[in-house]
Amino acid sequence: MSGKREDLDPFEGGLGDALRRTGEDFSVEGRPLVDGGVVRGRRRLRRRRVAAVTGSVAALAVVGFGASYATGTFGGGSGQGRSGVAARPMVQETGPSTKSSPGKGPQLSAQQVIERLEGLLPEGKVSGQTGRGTADRFGPSAHLVFDDGKGKAAIGVSVGAIDPDGTQAEQQLECPDKAFVPYDSCRNETLADGSRLMVLRGYEYPDKRVDTKWWHAYLVTPDGYTVDVSEWNAPAEKDADVSRAEPPLTVGQLKGLVLSDEWRPVMNAVRKAAPQPPAQGQDGRAILRKLKALLPVSAKVTSEHGDDGYAYVVVNDGKGASLVQINVQPNMSDVEGELFGSGAEVLPDGTKVVTHQGPGEKGGAGVVMWTADTIRTGGLRVVVSAFNSGSQNAKATRQTPALTMQQLKSIATSAKWAGK
């Protein structure tokens, strides 16, 4: 196959708002719940997707999008050389040299991984190649700058392993919710061999403060390997001027690149992932059901979604849309001292409560965020936030959130979260 394959039709149209995971992080400085969106895990996808709870941080993904760089890639090819490619510079190994446990196949160097990416590209010049080999503990990847004569563009790819039946894989394959992450199109499909693919055309910055476009393809194979490819319409993911109207690879080429058989030897050299343990925290559907039951009657739900440990609704009381989100996390006693100091209100049952009112965190004009953050004596932390907009990335739709601070406190301290 060549990087110029004509048999790969681009995805047409976009998916509706297939809900993607959510949340970002809890900050140990008292800034609570964050928003969700696409990728989970901050993988960027890379960074943006994957729900995880670690000590004081509950990272809930954002697949999200736009900024996750796993390393991106595109077009399908045979790995044969192509004309018009600049001479390769010495490969820069990124990351520490610590080695990982190898897979069953022969190990590949960073240069070999880079060459596979180069061989799958259309005609053009490449520069700035960096990468990691299959023995690197951070996994194999390649990144370069590609110029087809229409402007320089960053392109990257990474190969990894995942539990194909785990929730992390499900979350990373979901299209993001446009309430959190704006994009032009996103599509999921299951291929004939059982592989699952997501292709997204989005933006590096959710608030679009810079017109850097980020197109992304993510593949999960039935045997538990991933190929993660990204491309931009600028020579760098961030902090570089836009150099062209669109990224260089069409959606069809992007799909072909991520599906190329050239990645199979790379996959075989990577150690397979262990089965993913059950997610901590309460089931997202149960959280969503409880949250809706605790809302005031005037707050009519217009959009909703739930994940393990997290849920959100967009409500409208007749005065404009308002996003309300909640995180329910067990075993958070280790952050109690950091987040609930001497200024916390202590309820008769020992529950500690702190509240915050301030600006939103995602750039929406005039957006404010009101939060009630609580922790029970057993370490169960419940954080509820409300905004005066249906999305943190959009401008305010009303002066204040649809829920008052007292209502937020009532929801956060409800006995429902302790299973009562």
Side-chain angles (χ1 to χ4, degrees), residues 31 38 164 188 220 251 274 313 366 395:
R31 302 274 317 181
V38 142
N188 307 96
V220 175
V251 174
V313 294
K395 66 180 181 181

Side-chain angles (χ1 to χ4, degrees), residues 65-335:
F65 279 16
S68 333
Y69 149 105
T71 47
T73 240
F74 54 127
S78 64
Q80 298 175 347
R82 66 184 185 295
S83 60
V85 176
R88 302 185 190 92
M90 196 66 117
V91 177
Q92 172 188 348
E93 288 277 2
T94 61
S97 59
T98 303
K99 304 303 181 181
S100 64
S101 299
K104 61 184 180 182
Q107 296 297 296
L108 283 74
S109 67
Q111 180 65 59
Q112 289 174 307
V113 177
I114 292 170
E115 289 174 355
R116 287 177 184 273
L117 173 58
E118 290 183 355
L120 295 171
L121 298 178
E123 292 186 4
K125 295 181 179 180
V126 296
S127 60
Q129 300 97 318
T130 60
R132 296 190 299 261
T134 54
D136 191 286
R137 66 180 177 137
F138 292 114
S141 70
H143 185 274
L144 50 78
V145 177
F146 174 72
D147 190 348
D148 58 1
K150 300 178 182 178
K152 293 183 177 181
I155 297 174
V157 60
S158 66
V159 177
I162 198 170
D163 177 1
D165 300 316
T167 56
Q168 181 177 342
E170 294 294 334
Q171 292 168 345
Q172 292 179 341
L173 287 163
E174 286 183 88
C175 286
D177 186 344
K178 284 186 175 179
F180 296 101
V181 179
Y183 56 86
D184 293 329
S185 69
C186 182
R187 179 171 175 175
N188 307 96
E189 65 174 308
T190 299
L191 308 177
D193 67 352
S195 295
R196 290 171 293 167
L197 174 69
M198 181 202 68
V199 178
L200 170 112
R201 295 189 303 142
Y203 299 86
E204 180 62 31
Y205 300 94
D207 59 5
K208 299 184 183 180
R209 62 183 181 275
V210 177
D211 192 29
T212 304
K213 295 183 179 179
W214 173 65
W215 292 7
H216 179 77
Y218 185 74
L219 177 75
V220 175
T221 67
D223 54 346
Y225 293 103
T226 64
V227 181
D228 200 343
V229 177
S230 292
E231 60 169 333
W232 294 264
N233 63 333
E237 175 189 0
K238 292 180 180 293
D239 302 323
D241 292 337
V242 169
S243 54
R244 50 192 298 147
E246 308 283 355
L249 304 176
T250 66
V251 174
Q253 289 174 313
L254 191 64
K255 177 180 175 181
L257 190 121
V258 80
L259 293 178
S260 173
D261 290 339
E262 285 296 304
W263 304 118
R264 177 49 65 176
V266 184
M267 295 178 194
N268 291 341
V270 174
R271 185 178 183 180
K272 298 197 72 170
Q276 185 180 349
Q280 297 185 28
Q282 299 185 23
D283 175 79
R285 290 171 295 182
I287 294 175
L288 184 59
R289 183 177 64 253
K290 294 175 183 178
L291 174 61
K292 291 170 65 177
L294 293 169
L295 293 173
V297 176
S298 61
K300 305 300 181 183
V301 176
T302 61
S303 179
E304 62 184 52
H305 183 61
D307 270 318
D308 292 327
Y310 177 87
Y312 80 84
V313 294
V314 177
V315 301
N316 196 322
D317 57 1
K319 300 177 182 179
S322 180
L323 171 67
V324 180
Q325 58 186 14
I326 182 169
N327 269 13
V328 182
Q329 300 290 349
N331 307 318
M332 298 295 285
S333 296
D334 57 337
V335 301

